[in-house]
Amino acid sequence: MTIVVTGATGNVGRPLVSLLAAAGARVRAITRTPGTAAFPAGVEAVSAAVDALPGASAVFLNSRALGDDLANVVAAARRSGVTKLVALSAINADDDVARQPSRARGDRNKEVEQLCVESGLAWVSLRPTVFATNFVGMWSAQIRAGDVVGGPYAAASSAPIVEADIAAVAARALLTDELVGQRIPLTGPQALTNAEMVDVIAGALGRPLRYVEAPPEVVRQRFIDIGLGADFADAYIAMLAETVDKPALVTHDVEKITGHPATSFAEWVSDHRQLFS
């Protein structure tokens, strides 16, 4: 079995490559820098997805990594004899795009899922919620600077998922046919408000951190200042506004599929506290 992994150096792709290689699959890892990327022994690093498709049986599709080549890669996969596509989509793929901040970062969650469904090949769509690592980019600079994290809507709720858990489900989808034809919502094991997540980080760091609700226009400018952009800021604020005082959806698909519970936000922060300090 030969599996192509796009976005192979990303937070989902890298652990996925390792899991597939450990399972004995032949892996072709797509990376812009094949000469410098470090992968497990036996993994073939390839710079262009279309070059990796001949002879492959399955492809993991990361729309952000593929960019404008997404549709071409799906079409080429079909022509090359690939039999299965696994899409990295998102739990909010059906929402108004004005409430999908990841689109501003290059994700095309609805499109990648549709391309897979319409390809005529076996398909699986993974729909994870917000990644745990996203809070590093949004909050770590403030935590390093002081004991206050300012942001919108302290009572907004999410159930952050650890990327390694997404990779574990993706490996199952690629290595077996158990999940074919499913759109699978993936979350962490607990819904937490923004204020509660900052409390978790405070406990891991042993510091008196607190979340202070800031006006949306202040938050918007802060996101722009750290390079996330106005489109991301507007969509993120709009998305959070919809979740105030509404506990986020929690699914148990990670455990059902992999046999182990999804990693909690507290466990992940404890293991990665250096990212915030």
Side-chain angles (χ1 to χ4, degrees):
M1 175 181 290
T2 299
I3 299 173
V4 175
V5 177
T6 65
T9 59
N11 290 335
V12 175
R14 188 173 289 279
L16 174 58
V17 167
S18 296
L19 288 170
L20 294 173
R26 182 182 179 190
V27 183
R28 295 173 184 161
I30 310 306
T31 171
R32 295 185 182 89
T33 57
T36 60
F39 294 115
V43 172
E44 181 183 0
V46 183
S47 60
V50 292
D51 295 335
L53 295 172
S57 54
V59 182
F60 178 73
L61 294 168
N62 182 316
S63 63
R64 186 184 303 187
L66 289 170
D68 292 339
D69 288 335
L70 174 60
N72 291 335
V73 169
V74 172
R78 188 171 57 245
R79 292 194 302 269
S80 298
V82 169
T83 58
K84 186 194 300 178
L85 302 174
V86 175
L88 180 62
S89 183
I91 203 164
N92 63 347
D94 296 324
D95 289 355
D96 189 313
V97 295
R99 298 196 305 274
Q100 295 189 41
S102 68
R103 291 188 72 85
R105 308 291 289 166
D107 290 348
R108 294 296 178 264
N109 298 313
K110 186 67 174 178
E111 292 89 335
V112 68
E113 183 177 282
Q114 283 185 311
L115 284 166
C116 288
V117 172
E118 295 169 1
S119 69
L121 307 178
W123 62 270
V124 182
S125 180
L126 306 183
R127 288 185 159 202
T129 187
V130 60
F131 293 3
T133 53
N134 288 12
F135 297 97
V136 176
M138 291 190 289
W139 292 348
S140 61
Q142 294 185 71
I143 291 170
R144 292 189 187 104
D147 292 333
V148 172
V149 175
Y153 310 115
S157 178
S158 60
I161 188 168
V162 172
E163 289 90 329
D165 287 336
I166 303 170
V169 175
R172 192 78 173 176
L174 290 159
L175 292 168
T176 77
D177 290 333
E178 297 169 4
L179 306 177
V180 167
Q182 297 185 45
R183 297 174 175 87
I184 305 172
L186 300 173
T187 76
Q190 184 181 14
L192 297 166
T193 66
N194 281 333
E196 288 169 338
M197 283 190 282
V198 169
D199 286 344
V200 167
I201 298 169
L205 298 182
R207 289 177 51 191
L209 302 176
R210 58 194 176 93
Y211 190 92
V212 175
E213 198 166 291
E217 61 271 16
V218 173
V219 175
R220 184 178 192 273
Q221 188 58 51
R222 182 178 295 134
F223 278 133
I224 293 171
D225 291 344
I226 65 175
L228 291 174
D231 289 344
F232 177 93
D234 292 338
Y236 179 73
I237 292 167
M239 180 183 73
L240 285 197
E242 293 290 314
T243 71
V244 174
D245 296 323
K246 299 176 186 175
L249 172 70
V250 173
T251 71
H252 299 284
D253 291 87
V254 170
E255 184 170 9
K256 291 175 186 175
I257 293 166
T258 67
H260 64 75
T263 307
S264 70
F265 186 67
E267 182 182 350
W268 180 83
V269 171
S270 179
D271 290 342
H272 298 84
R273 60 173 64 89
Q274 75 280 0
L275 298 176
F276 295 97
S277 62

